[in-house]
Amino acid sequence: QVQLVQSGAEVKRPGASVKVSCKASGYTFTTYYIHWMRQAPGQGLEWMGIINPSTGTTSYSQKLQGRVTMTRDTSTTTVYMELSSLTSDDTAVYYCARDIVRGDLTWFDPWGQGTLVTVSS
Amino acid sequence: DIHMTQSPSSLSASVGDRVSITCRASHPISRYLNWYQQKPGKAPDLLIFAAAGLQTGVPSRFSGSGSGTDFTLTITSLQPEDFATYFCQQSYNTPHTFGQGTKLEI
């Protein structure tokens, strides 16, 4: 079945970087874009950006531009999200999700299980 | 950015009740509106796509409606497993923004 499996929880110091992976299986990796979202404790969801696994082309939220980098490895069907210059405001659960497109309509399905990133000194 | 406003932010209901959650977009978004269910400690699951499309495997007691700026998620005959948090999300443009969530409680 279609599945996105993310890497485990991370604890980072302020100023450090974190790299979260999202391994795709059960479908043709290069056919579907992947989005990244995050959810701070007790908060709503924030869209971070999107990557085209076929070409590696990315688009990031303006808020995170310059700090976020999304990459992919087609040989392992894995996408990565790296966030730099971490602060306590970056403490959140990070999710990847597959982009489903029908005509010009789009939605996210499925989602990865989430990766908790804690930024603390 | 398109701002999504959900109401109510929390809702108390009982098994068997019918409930509705609304989502309003700050800019017309046609049918570019999706609904997700999230249970504690879990990732969101897609319920409704394109405002009214029922995701495969989702019970028919869930339905979505609306177009433009105003949308509604309706759950008829609440079941115990429906108590969760619900989010709307617009896919009209990027950044894809989400509502703040509606927590459905017993």
Side-chain angles (χ1 to χ4, degrees):
Chain A
Q1 76 280 23
V2 175
Q3 209 172 1
L4 299 175
V5 178
Q6 298 182 222
S7 50
E10 303 262 13
V11 179
K12 295 293 182 181
R13 300 292 190 199
S17 297
V18 67
K19 192 170 186 177
V20 179
S21 67
C22 170
K23 180 171 175 58
S25 61
Y27 70 98
T28 302
F29 177 67
T30 53
T31 303
Y32 297 87
Y33 288 33
I34 295 288
H35 297 261
W36 286 91
M37 277 69 61
R38 67 180 181 176
Q39 188 172 34
Q43 302 300 309
L45 290 152
E46 177 186 6
W47 181 83
M48 300 177 67
I50 184 173
I51 182 168
N52 178 344
S54 178
T55 64
T57 303
T58 56
S59 177
Y60 304 134
S61 78
Q62 204 160 5
K63 176 182 175 182
L64 296 172
Q65 189 83 36
R67 287 207 300 138
V68 66
T69 304
M70 297 176 188
T71 56
R72 94 293 190 208
D73 182 342
T74 55
S75 68
T76 61
T77 66
T78 302
V79 297
Y80 299 91
M81 186 285 301
E82 184 168 21
L83 189 63
S84 62
S85 302
L86 293 169
T87 72
S88 58
D89 289 342
D90 296 313
T91 294
V93 177
Y94 289 75
Y95 294 102
C96 59
R98 189 179 68 158
D99 183 68
I100 302 294
V101 176
R102 192 174 299 172
D104 57 351
L105 295 162
T106 182
W107 51 89
F108 304 158
D109 181 64
W111 296 53
Q113 84 275 18
T115 297
L116 175 62
V117 175
T118 303
V119 183
S120 174
S121 54
Chain B
D1 297 1
I2 296 175
H3 186 68
M4 307 300 294
T5 303
Q6 278 182 242
S7 62
S9 55
S10 65
L11 179 57
S12 293
S14 301
V15 173
D17 284 354
R18 172 191 172 104
V19 298
S20 291
I21 299 167
T22 63
C23 181
R24 174 164 290 176
S26 63
H27 182 280
I29 58 170
S30 184
R31 295 185 299 125
Y32 294 79
L33 190 284
N34 308 309
W35 291 96
Y36 300 87
Q37 177 194 66
Q38 186 177 35
K39 296 184 178 178
K42 300 293 186 181
D45 285 321
L46 177 68
L47 288 177
I48 301 287
F49 59 88
L54 189 66
Q55 168 68 344
T56 302
V58 173
S60 59
R61 63 181 180 272
F62 291 89
S63 64
S65 63
S67 182
T69 60
D70 294 305
F71 302 85
T72 301
L73 172 70
T74 300
I75 313 170
T76 58
S77 189
L78 274 171
Q79 298 301 300
E81 61 268 27
D82 300 337
F83 292 93
T85 299
Y86 295 84
F87 293 96
C88 61
Q89 173 244 331
Q90 65 82 15
S91 60
Y92 182 81
N93 63 12
T94 58
H96 294 300
T97 44
F98 292 81
Q100 81 278 15
T102 295
K103 187 173 184 180
L104 181 53
E105 301 173 297
I106 299 175

